[in-house]
């Protein structure tokens, strides 16, 4: 048996066993089985990645024919190339570590079997997404991870806020998915197929085709790319469709690490990179991707500056880093976007799981203002989160330094006005990232102990089963950038590695930016550490005075640019009013009145009349029979 089948279907098998048989085999066995199966998938994924790297391995395994109708021929397949092999490593490695971490984190939860089943089902859906060879199978995985995210965000369904967050994530993603579905429909309409290879081969043949969309003539390629990108915006929480991501922190912390740091939210980036043979022919779409990406990177970083919930700060950080990946793809540096996706998976999962360790020690407290002074009490968590923070901020020689700076440099080298602007925004956002990241670290671990409800003497480090996954992720956060830099973004080695999995209409620039540009961002990142320490530990009064002097700006950022309030006013309240109107005026007064309620009332009236004849008198029965006979005779005569 090909090991690809095991990689894909072992998580599904683990999910079925834990979900359906969990109450019979017990929670501990469920945890062991699901963690073991996903860990085996991770090991096998590294074997596939090694074969792709050293043997130019590619494969397409046809599981079965799914749809065969007219020109629509869709199969369930496992497609292996360089791009999918990288995603296999990212998804299975992070998922396996999250499974293991969850054994300790969810130890007191009475529904561990269900939780582990959902995690494994999510992993299976994500693997189907990244190994698809056609848009329809990709859409199946796309919707599968959306469904699993709904299950996992709302896992603690007795919390009203968790239910609301799950519904919000599901609805907002439906907006993006509607655009994505339209894009797939348009692809089939124009090309007569949804298989990647066939579509990508036919793209140059319709470059000059125009379509009428909503009464406007638009270029077919531009329209396809914009619709696909709308889907990517929803799944990867880009500006305008980002509002679900911070609320999704209502789910257990392992969910945040798996779904909202390393896997599901990167599906949008993967989609754009996978569709590079289409996007490369649409400068309009690439400019849109760049603008949305750099806008998201900036706006999410500004919001993270003032948030107090440890998980929401990291969530907005995720949103910001996804923006970096998108504007890298927008300037044509798809391989650089994938490089940052790869390194980001390690240090962001590390930060989320590290925050989970902090929350676990603080008995589910998430407000960083009531923490502080515990770095000696939680030495391993502190040290590991320092590593994650250094990598996230792009501190020299950590993984984020290689990938994030490469994005800024390639944006600069693109030579376009949009690229220059994106590079400038990227540098400033890197500075903001460093400020809010060290604010989190200093307020959480340093300064005075501020929690009045928990005695500091009761603080203790998390169990070993939660620390070991953090250590493995920390190794990736330190070394993944240096080790894979040449492979992913080197001039010659990257071409040999990516081959046909990424398409470049024009080769990326091999020039180097000026020295001042290269060192500018790292200098800002280094200087931000003492700056953050001064503002948030040494001179808090000065920081508070700055806030008071700029209260409108602070409230603007604190309220997340008022996106939720604007959407409430524009969409939620009008939708509720329309729904109430149709319910009370149309549904109750007309549909119910003349439909089910009317019919039941009529039958009740007729029954009440008919029952009067059933009184035991023979002549009443004879009268009814005579009426029936007369009616039948009349019918036969008229016929």
């Amino acid at each position: 048996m090909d090991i690809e089948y095991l990689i894909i279907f072992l998580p599904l098998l683990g999910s079925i066993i834990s979900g359906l048989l969990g109450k019979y085999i017990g929670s501990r066995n469920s945890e062991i089985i699901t963690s073991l199966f996903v860990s085996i998938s991770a090991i096998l994924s590294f074997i596939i990645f090694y074969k792709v790297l050293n043997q130019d391995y590619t494969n397409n395994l046809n599981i079965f024919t799914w749809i065969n109708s007219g020109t629509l021929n869709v199969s369930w397949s496992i497609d292996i190339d360089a791009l999918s092999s990288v995603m296999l490593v990212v998804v299975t490695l992070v998922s396996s570590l999250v499974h293991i971490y969850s054994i300790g984190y969810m130890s007191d939860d009475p529904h561990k079997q269900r939780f582990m089943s959902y995690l494994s089902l999510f992993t299976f859906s994500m693997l189907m997404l990244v190994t698809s060879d056609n848009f329809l199978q990709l859409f199946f995985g796309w919707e599968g991870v959306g469904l699993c995210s709904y299950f996992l965000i709302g896992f603690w369904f007795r919390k009203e806020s968790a239910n609301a967050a799950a519904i919000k994530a599901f609805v907002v993603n439906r907006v993006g998915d509607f655009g994505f579905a339209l894009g797939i429909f348009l692809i089939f309409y124009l090309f007569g197929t949804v298989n990647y290879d066939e579509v990508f081969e036919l793209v140059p043949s319709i470059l000059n085709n125009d379509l009428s969309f909503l009464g406007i003539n638009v270029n077919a390629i531009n329209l396809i790319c914009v619709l696909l990108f709308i889907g990517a915006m929803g799944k990867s929480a880009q500006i305008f469709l980002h509002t679900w991501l911070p609320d999704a922190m209502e789910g257990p912390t392992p969910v945040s690490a798996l779904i909202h740091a390393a896997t599901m939210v990167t599906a949008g980036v993967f989609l754009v990179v996978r569709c590079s043979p289409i996007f490369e022919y649409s400068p309009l779409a690439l400019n849109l991707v760049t603008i949305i990406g750099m806008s998201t990177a900036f706006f999410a970083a500004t919001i993270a500056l003032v948030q107090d919930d440890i998980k929401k700060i990291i969530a907005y950080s995720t949103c910001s880093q996804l923006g970096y990946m998108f504007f890298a793809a927008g300037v044509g540096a798809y391989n650089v976007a994938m490089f940052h996706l790869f390194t980001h998976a390690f240090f962001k999962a590390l930060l989320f799981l590290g925050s989970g360790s902090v929350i676990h020690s603080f008995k589910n407290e998430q407000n960083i203002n009531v923490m502080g002074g515990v770095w000696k009490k939680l030495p391993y968590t502190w040290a590991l989160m320092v590593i994650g923070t250094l990598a996230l901020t792009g501190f020299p020689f950590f993984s984020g330094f290689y990938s994030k700076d490469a994005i800024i440099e390639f944006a600069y080298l693109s030579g376009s006005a949009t690229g220059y602007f994106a590079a400038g925004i990227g540098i400033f956002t890197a500075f903001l990232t460093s400020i809010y990241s060290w604010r989190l670290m200093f307020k959480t671990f340093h300064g005075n102990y501020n929690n009045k409800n928990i005695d500091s003497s009761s603080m203790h480090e998390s169990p070993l089963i939660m620390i070991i996954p953090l250590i493995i992720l920390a190794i990736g956060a330190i070394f993944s950038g240096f080790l894979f830099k040449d492979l992913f973004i080197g001039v010659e080695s990257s071409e040999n590695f990516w081959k046909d999995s990424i398409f470049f209409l024009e080769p990326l620039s091999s020039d180097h930016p000026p020295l001042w540009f290269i060192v500018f961002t790292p200098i800002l990142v280094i200087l931000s550490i003492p700056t953050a320490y001064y503002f948030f530990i040494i001179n808090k009064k000065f920081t508070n005075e700055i806030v008071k002097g700029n209260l409108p700006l602070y409230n603007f950022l604190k309220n997340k640019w008022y996106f939720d309030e604007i959407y409430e006013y524009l969409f939620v309240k009008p939708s509720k009013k329309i729904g109430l109107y149709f319910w009370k005026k149309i549904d109750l007064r007309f549909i119910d009145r003349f439909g089910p309620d009317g019919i039941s009332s009529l039958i009740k009236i007729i029954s009440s009349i008919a029952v009067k004849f059933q009184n035991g008198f023979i002549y009443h029965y004879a009268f009814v029979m005579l009426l029936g006979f007369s009616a039948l005779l009349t019918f036969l005569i008229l016929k």
Side-chain angles (χ1 to χ4, degrees):
M1 178 187 288
D2 293 289
I3 62 174
E4 287 90 339
Y5 290 113
L6 295 175
I7 293 173
I8 303 298
F9 290 109
L10 276 177
L12 177 62
L13 180 60
S15 175
I16 293 171
I17 293 173
S18 182
L20 299 182
L21 304 177
K23 66 179 181 180
Y24 302 108
I25 63 176
S27 60
R28 179 60 68 196
N29 287 329
S30 293
E31 291 168 339
I32 292 172
I33 289 172
T34 51
S35 301
L36 177 63
F37 283 3
V38 177
S39 298
I40 292 172
S41 289
I43 294 169
L44 297 177
S45 295
F46 274 99
I47 294 174
I48 291 291
F49 181 70
Y50 178 82
K51 290 170 70 176
V52 170
L53 180 59
N54 291 286
Q55 302 172 16
D56 295 334
Y57 177 76
T58 59
N59 200 0
N60 187 287
L61 300 170
N62 191 339
I63 302 173
F64 62 85
T65 299
W66 184 15
I67 301 173
N68 191 353
S69 176
T71 60
L72 181 61
N73 193 339
V74 181
S75 297
W76 281 99
S77 301
I78 303 175
D79 189 59
I80 301 297
D81 60 6
L83 185 58
S84 60
S85 70
V86 171
M87 292 301 296
L88 284 177
V89 168
V90 170
V91 172
T92 56
L93 177 60
V94 174
S95 180
S96 62
L97 295 175
V98 167
H99 274 74
I100 295 168
Y101 178 92
S102 299
I103 295 174
Y105 190 87
M106 302 293 287
S107 58
D108 296 328
D109 196 282
H111 305 292
K112 293 187 284 291
Q113 298 98 313
R114 180 164 58 90
F115 183 75
M116 302 303 284
S117 177
Y118 287 165
L119 286 183
S120 290
L121 183 61
F122 169 84
T123 306
F124 165 74
S125 298
M126 192 68 194
L127 292 174
M128 291 304 300
L129 189 158
V130 300
T131 57
S132 61
D133 70 350
N134 62 79
F135 285 97
L136 211 56
Q137 183 183 331
L138 183 144
F139 192 73
F140 167 83
W142 194 272
E143 294 303 304
V145 293
L147 176 65
C148 292
S149 73
Y150 172 80
F151 290 153
L152 288 165
I153 294 167
F155 179 76
W156 288 323
F157 56 85
R158 288 184 175 85
K159 286 174 61 180
E160 187 177 340
S161 57
N163 282 323
I167 293 170
K168 186 177 183 179
F170 200 76
V171 171
V172 173
N173 270 276
R174 295 292 73 72
V175 177
D177 293 352
F178 180 67
F180 185 27
L182 288 179
I184 295 174
F185 295 153
L186 184 56
I187 285 171
F188 179 70
Y189 172 74
L190 291 171
F191 301 110
T193 179
V194 291
N195 296 318
Y196 292 153
D197 291 341
E198 297 171 5
V199 171
F200 297 159
E201 187 178 347
L202 293 171
V203 166
S205 66
I206 65 158
L207 292 181
N208 298 318
N209 287 22
D210 288 336
L211 294 170
S212 178
F213 182 73
L214 301 177
I216 304 171
N217 283 334
V218 292
N219 180 267
I221 294 295
N222 288 340
L223 183 57
I224 290 172
C225 291
V226 169
L227 290 172
L228 293 179
F229 181 58
I230 289 173
M233 285 175 63
K235 196 64 73 183
S236 293
Q238 294 300 282
I239 191 169
F240 304 120
L241 295 178
H242 68 281
T243 52
W244 66 270
L245 185 64
D247 290 24
M249 298 302 107
E250 288 292 337
T253 301
V255 175
S256 305
L258 179 63
I259 293 181
H260 310 121
T263 52
M264 189 185 88
V265 290
T266 62
V269 180
F270 170 79
L271 173 65
V272 173
V273 175
R274 174 61 81 191
C275 294
S276 56
I278 308 177
F279 277 86
E280 278 291 88
Y281 290 102
S282 177
L284 172 69
L286 288 177
N287 281 326
L288 176 65
V289 173
T290 306
I291 292 168
I292 292 293
M294 68 182 180
S295 301
T296 304
F298 171 73
F299 110 92
T302 60
I303 295 173
L305 281 172
V306 299
Q307 296 301 305
D308 298 321
D309 187 309
I310 187 171
K311 285 173 66 177
K312 286 192 176 182
I313 295 171
I314 303 173
Y316 276 110
S317 173
T318 300
C319 201
S320 182
Q321 297 306 305
L322 289 165
Y324 273 101
M325 297 176 208
F326 274 113
F327 84 67
V331 298
Y334 305 100
N335 55 336
V336 185
M338 287 302 301
F339 183 37
H340 194 50
L341 185 156
F342 181 76
T343 60
H344 175 264
F346 292 103
F347 57 72
K348 190 53 63 67
L350 171 59
L351 287 171
F352 264 121
L353 295 183
S355 72
S357 182
V358 172
I359 294 167
H360 186 267
S361 299
F362 273 96
K363 296 180 173 57
N364 297 321
E365 178 59 66
Q366 296 183 197
N367 189 338
I368 61 174
N369 291 321
V370 294
M371 298 180 184
V374 295
W375 72 275
K376 291 182 180 179
K377 298 282 186 179
L378 310 174
Y380 300 119
T381 300
W382 171 78
L384 293 165
M385 286 192 71
V386 166
I387 292 172
T389 301
L390 290 169
L392 168 63
T393 58
F395 194 85
F397 310 116
F398 284 77
S399 60
F401 166 74
Y402 294 99
S403 57
K404 187 192 292 184
D405 282 27
I407 291 174
I408 297 171
E409 290 170 15
F410 274 97
Y412 176 85
L413 291 172
S414 67
S416 64
T418 310
Y420 288 138
F421 191 54
I425 292 292
I427 292 172
F428 184 59
T429 301
F431 175 71
L432 295 180
T433 301
S434 194
I435 293 292
Y436 71 66
S437 297
W438 288 110
R439 170 180 177 263
L440 182 152
M441 289 299 298
F442 292 142
K443 298 194 78 167
T444 301
F445 292 101
H446 297 271
N448 298 321
Y449 183 78
N450 298 311
N451 197 303
K452 297 178 181 179
N453 299 321
I454 305 171
D455 191 88
S456 61
S457 61
S458 67
M459 299 295 294
H460 59 85
E461 189 60 89
S462 297
L464 196 60
I465 198 163
M466 292 172 63
I467 296 297
I468 290 175
L470 296 180
I471 294 172
I472 296 172
L473 289 169
I475 293 171
I478 297 172
F479 297 110
S480 62
F482 172 75
L483 293 177
F484 292 96
K485 171 173 63 74
D486 289 334
L487 178 68
F488 280 24
I489 63 174
V491 176
E492 294 183 4
S493 54
S494 65
E495 291 182 4
N496 294 330
F497 174 69
W498 295 112
K499 290 189 169 59
D500 296 332
S501 63
I502 296 178
F503 176 77
F504 297 99
L505 192 61
E506 296 180 3
L508 291 176
S509 174
S510 58
D511 297 333
H512 292 282
L515 181 62
W516 68 266
F517 187 85
I518 294 174
V519 300
F520 186 59
T521 305
I523 290 173
L524 278 180
V525 167
I526 294 170
L527 291 177
S528 66
I529 301 175
T531 303
Y533 190 77
Y534 176 79
F535 280 115
F536 301 115
I537 297 295
I538 295 178
N539 199 344
K540 294 181 182 179
K541 290 183 179 179
F542 182 58
T543 307
N544 293 332
E545 289 175 3
I546 293 175
V547 170
K548 290 178 181 178
N550 297 274
L551 206 55
L553 176 61
Y554 176 80
N555 289 331
F556 178 71
L557 299 179
K558 188 73 174 176
N559 288 285
K560 302 164 286 190
W561 288 32
Y562 294 104
F563 268 105
D564 284 311
E565 289 78 3
I566 293 170
Y567 287 172
E568 179 82 13
Y569 179 78
L570 291 178
F571 302 115
V572 177
K573 288 183 178 178
S575 298
K576 286 182 177 179
K577 289 180 179 178
I578 292 171
L580 286 172
Y581 174 81
F582 275 99
W583 172 47
K584 292 185 176 180
K585 303 294 184 181
I586 307 298
D587 196 16
L588 292 180
R589 290 191 178 185
F590 291 96
I591 297 176
D592 284 353
R593 185 178 179 185
F594 296 104
D597 290 350
I599 293 171
S600 61
S601 298
L602 181 62
I603 292 173
K604 186 177 180 181
I605 293 169
I606 295 172
S607 299
S608 64
I609 295 173
V611 77
K612 293 179 180 179
F613 290 97
Q614 299 177 6
N615 53 14
F617 293 109
I618 296 176
Y619 58 87
H620 281 178
Y621 295 153
F623 178 66
V624 172
M625 293 171 65
L626 182 61
L627 286 177
F629 178 73
S630 300
L632 178 62
L633 190 62
T634 302
F635 174 75
L636 292 174
I637 291 172
L638 291 176
K639 187 176 179 182

